[in-house]
Amino acid sequence: MSWQPAEPPDVEPRGCPALELVLAPRERDLGGFSVRRALPAPQRHMVGPFIFWDQMGPARFAPGRGIDVRPHPHIGLATVTYLFEGEILHRDSLGTVQPIRPGAVNWMTAGRGIVHSERTPPAARAAGPALSGIQAWVALPREHEETAPAFSHHAAEALPVLDDAGARVRVIAGTFAGARSPVPVRWETLYVDVQLRPGGRFALPSEHAERALYVAEGRVVIAGDDAPAGRMLVFRPGDTIVIAAPADTAARVLCLGGAPMDGPRHVWWNFVSSSRERLDAAAADWEAGRFPAVPGETERIPLPAR
């Protein structure tokens, strides 16, 4: 999706010694549905390679309506789309046309430059579609910032699932507890979807140096601290974190992180780079029409004022 600057998230102190920050994302209306944006934040720019984090919805559209994110460009990052409910049709300048449904992953590597659109498919609009999920960006390591753009789709059935009495864990990208996702990451990455049953518990190990937890549904308890839906908790390295759902309530959390990135990144609009000058060049290229077009699309999002 296209990024616009948001107000900085609130930060709430907590008592758990392993907890470094709690970010309360700002809610934004994107024309018929809302997003909660946690990253980037002034207090925490990145967690591992993750530099952007939006929770989309949950939303229910009127019959015939849906999302229409017009073609827009990216550089220096990979977009990661993961849905809980609904369907989005992805089109890009490589010629990709790929619907995504709950539990699957769309991973688009922008590299030196790509353009894409995201829309509710026509067939899904008739009954009044629902939409809920996570849109994230991961920064590419410096040696791959200008790589050739690419796209990969991974069905829900292709992703590893770990299941026990208390939690069901899908490994979206990277590694977790010995399981590895087939998604082609270029940096050490942690990204898992954890569905906790009422009273269930889940241990987030210390295998990744940078870790955060986003509460997407319900609420969880960590070392006596209560975390409601719509909060991102950032943890210090080195401790195993035990997350529990209340006895009467299920919960859904996303764990994200990985190795610290290889240097700072600059973000402006839909562009990420280790070089401010590269952002300027990408902006000039979009304004001058030098990015490739998305086949079948005639619209585009104009460059915003800087």
Side-chain angles (χ1 to χ4, degrees):
M1 290 199 171
S2 180
W3 181 76
Q4 295 289 343
E7 297 177 35
D10 295 327
V11 179
E12 303 170 354
R14 294 275 172 160
C16 174
L19 190 55
E20 182 179 334
L21 286 173
V22 178
L23 303 177
R26 295 294 187 186
E27 187 165 329
R28 297 192 55 198
D29 185 350
L30 296 186
F33 76 108
S34 63
V35 298
R36 297 184 182 94
R37 182 158 300 151
L39 294 174
Q43 301 85 356
R44 185 75 185 219
H45 196 52
M46 304 175 69
V47 180
F50 288 85
I51 197 167
F52 176 94
W53 185 274
D54 265 3
Q55 180 177 7
M56 304 178 287
R60 172 71 67 176
F61 297 93
R65 302 291 297 275
I67 67 164
D68 284 294
V69 181
R70 296 168 291 162
H72 57 280
H74 291 287
I75 66 162
L77 58 90
T79 64
V80 192
T81 306
Y82 184 77
L83 298 182
F84 306 143
E85 186 178 15
E87 182 177 350
I88 294 175
L89 182 64
H90 165 98
R91 295 179 185 268
D92 65 39
S93 52
L94 300 174
T96 309
V97 180
Q98 177 63 59
I100 182 171
R101 300 180 181 92
V105 177
N106 274 2
W107 183 281
M108 184 184 75
T109 301
R112 60 177 174 258
I114 198 168
V115 180
H116 75 138
S117 67
E118 295 161 297
R119 301 181 187 271
T120 303
R125 294 178 185 246
L131 182 65
S132 179
I134 302 294
Q135 178 96 103
W137 298 351
V138 296
L140 297 177
R142 290 188 180 194
E143 65 176 317
H144 295 296
E145 283 186 302
E146 299 296 323
T147 193
F151 178 86
S152 66
H153 172 82
H154 303 269
E157 300 77 30
L159 303 178
V161 174
L162 311 175
D163 208 342
D164 63 25
R168 188 170 191 266
V169 182
R170 175 175 279 124
V171 185
I172 301 170
T175 59
F176 174 79
R180 180 180 293 275
S181 166
V183 172
V185 300
R186 294 178 180 266
W187 194 251
E188 182 189 312
T189 301
L190 163 70
Y191 193 15
V192 298
D193 173 16
V194 183
Q195 296 183 63
L196 285 161
R197 300 172 180 88
R201 292 163 66 87
F202 165 76
L204 177 59
S206 59
E207 62 181 299
H208 297 283
E210 295 190 355
R211 299 164 298 164
L213 174 82
Y214 185 80
V215 186
E217 299 171 6
R219 64 185 180 88
V220 296
V221 178
I222 301 171
D225 285 333
D226 188 272
R231 294 292 185 272
M232 178 173 282
L233 287 67
V234 182
F235 299 105
R236 296 182 176 88
D239 294 305
T240 295
I241 311 298
V242 178
I243 300 128
D248 59 349
T249 308
R252 187 172 204 162
V253 300
L254 286 299
C255 300
L256 61 143
M261 204 62 212
D262 60 347
R265 292 297 187 273
H266 307 290
V267 183
W268 184 75
W269 195 36
N270 304 312
F271 307 136
V272 170
S273 180
S274 57
S275 163
R276 291 187 184 275
E277 291 74 20
R278 183 66 180 93
L279 301 184
D280 295 338
D285 286 344
W286 181 245
E287 195 162 40
R290 289 190 287 266
F291 273 84
V294 178
E297 295 271 13
T298 58
E299 299 178 293
R300 58 183 252 150
I301 297 177
L303 190 76
R306 299 190 73 171

